[in-house]
């Protein structure tokens, strides 16, 4: 006597498609295989073309399947009929649901510089440089080391903090602004005033910019007095060392 595998229809919480593989879930695969065996291994009036269009629906098709199941000496055809009706609804819903969205991979980078950066001349544009990479995925230091290259198209958030100081007793100004591929970003500069010698300032803000693949970003600065500089300080217990410039880059959207 042949043993029948009466695997029950999977619970409603079991998805038809396994999100990890994009293939049919194992529970549903076993269920369909068992139904296939129980209904004659394909020897019925439902053609391959019918199955390509969609699952059998309607009372006539379900009654036909129930009759085939009865022929295999299964006594509880009404229960199977109800299960098949539920399965038909779930398969129909799966056919019309939108495709699963691909998870976006966002890129990032974190960089800093451990040297003191100075201006050789007043009112002259200089690019801040970086000599250390903390993290990097699709964003990297280029050549020269003032260039931060974004390898992928997207909108990026460039956030920086700079340790600036002056040795002049007079009042002077420092300007900071971004460049993309050597061109100044319009309406992007900020002016900071220094009053008196030893006046330290921490400059910290951000720029949200659209970058094409392989575009490079530079953080520019100029000063009205050469005593203004981006200062790097050694460790002073209990604090760690202070970089002259810290820059973090995170992709906001693709």
């Amino acid at each position: 006597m042949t043993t029948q595998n009466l695997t029950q229809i999977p619970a409603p919480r079991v998805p038809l498609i396994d999100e990890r593989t994009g293939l049919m879930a194992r529970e549903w695969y076993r269920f369909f295989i068992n139904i296939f065996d129980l209904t004659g291994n394909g020897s019925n009036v439902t053609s391959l073309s019918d199955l390509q269009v969609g699952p059998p629906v309607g009372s006539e098709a379900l009654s036909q399947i129930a009759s085939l199941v009865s022929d295999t000496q299964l006594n509880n055809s009404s229960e199977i009929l109800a299960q098949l009706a539920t399965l038909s609804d779930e398969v129909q819903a799966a056919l019309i649901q939108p495709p699963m969205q691909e998870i976006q991979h966002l890129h990032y980078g974190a960089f800093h510089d451990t040297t003191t950066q100075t201006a050789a001349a007043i009112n002259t544009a200089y690019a801040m440089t970086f000599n250390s990479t903390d993290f990097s995925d699709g964003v990297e230091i280029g050549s020269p080391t003032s260039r931060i290259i974004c390898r992928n198209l997207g909108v990026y958030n460039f956030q920086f903090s700079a340790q600036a100081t002056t040795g002049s007793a007079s009042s002077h100004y420092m300007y900071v602004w971004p460049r993309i591929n050597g061109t100044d970003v319009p309406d992007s500069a900020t002016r900071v005033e220094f009053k008196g010698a030893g006046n330290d300032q921490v400059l910290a803000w951000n720029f949200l910019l659209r970058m094409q693949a392989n575009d490079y970003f530079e953080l520019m600065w100029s000063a009205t007095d050469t005593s203004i500089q981006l200062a790097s300080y050694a460790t002073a217990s209990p604090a760690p060392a202070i970089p002259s410039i810290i820059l973090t880059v995170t992709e906001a959207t693709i």
Side-chain angles (χ1 to χ4, degrees):
M1 180 178 181
T2 303
T3 301
Q4 301 290 344
N5 187 339
L6 300 180
T7 300
Q8 296 295 312
I9 185 172
R13 65 178 178 273
V14 179
L16 181 65
I17 302 300
D18 190 328
E19 295 181 356
R20 297 168 301 178
T21 64
L23 304 175
M24 181 182 292
R26 182 175 60 180
E27 294 84 355
W28 282 106
Y29 178 79
R30 291 179 58 192
F31 175 77
F32 283 120
I33 285 294
N34 291 329
I35 291 297
F36 181 74
D37 291 338
L38 293 172
T39 53
N41 294 312
S43 299
N44 55 60
V45 297
T46 302
S47 67
L48 179 60
S49 298
D50 294 332
L51 294 177
Q52 290 174 335
V53 171
V57 295
S59 58
E60 180 179 353
L62 294 176
S63 297
Q64 183 183 52
I65 294 175
S67 176
L68 291 170
V69 172
S70 178
D71 291 341
T72 61
Q73 300 180 350
L74 295 177
N75 297 322
N76 197 2
S77 61
S78 60
E79 179 181 351
I80 293 179
L81 183 63
Q83 291 180 352
L84 289 175
T86 301
L87 175 61
S88 174
D89 293 339
E90 293 179 353
V91 172
Q92 291 278 22
L95 291 174
I96 63 175
Q97 70 179 0
M100 184 171 54
Q101 293 185 348
E102 182 179 354
I103 298 176
Q104 292 185 340
H105 178 76
L106 301 179
H107 303 88
Y108 56 87
F111 317 96
H112 68 274
D113 189 72
T114 58
T115 66
T116 293
Q117 303 184 34
T118 59
I122 64 171
N123 301 323
T124 302
Y126 294 95
M128 300 183 192
T129 58
F130 304 89
N131 63 9
S132 301
T133 298
D134 301 305
F135 303 100
S136 178
D137 183 352
V139 182
E140 61 194 57
I141 298 175
S143 180
T145 60
S146 61
R147 296 183 178 182
I148 301 299
I149 303 174
C150 297
R151 295 300 185 187
N152 300 275
L153 167 71
V155 175
Y156 291 81
N157 183 27
F158 297 85
Q159 186 165 354
F160 77 96
S161 65
Q163 183 73 46
T165 188
T166 180
S168 173
S170 302
S171 177
H172 298 287
Y173 296 100
M174 177 179 177
Y175 297 83
V176 177
W177 69 96
R179 278 183 179 176
I180 298 178
N181 299 333
T183 301
D184 296 337
V185 176
D187 303 315
S188 62
T190 298
R191 187 183 75 172
V192 179
E193 184 178 9
F194 291 82
K195 297 180 179 180
N199 181 9
D200 285 357
Q201 299 247 22
V202 175
L203 317 180
W205 53 89
N206 72 296
F207 305 98
L208 194 65
L209 302 172
R210 180 174 296 280
M211 308 291 285
Q212 302 297 320
N214 297 315
D215 279 356
Y216 67 87
F217 165 91
E218 289 179 294
L219 192 57
M220 309 301 298
W221 71 290
S222 69
T224 60
D225 189 86
T226 56
S227 68
I228 296 176
Q229 59 186 13
L230 301 174
S232 175
Y233 295 104
T235 300
S237 181
I242 301 174
S244 55
I245 174 71
I246 297 173
L247 175 69
T248 60
V249 183
T250 52
E251 188 175 11
T253 183
I254 295 175

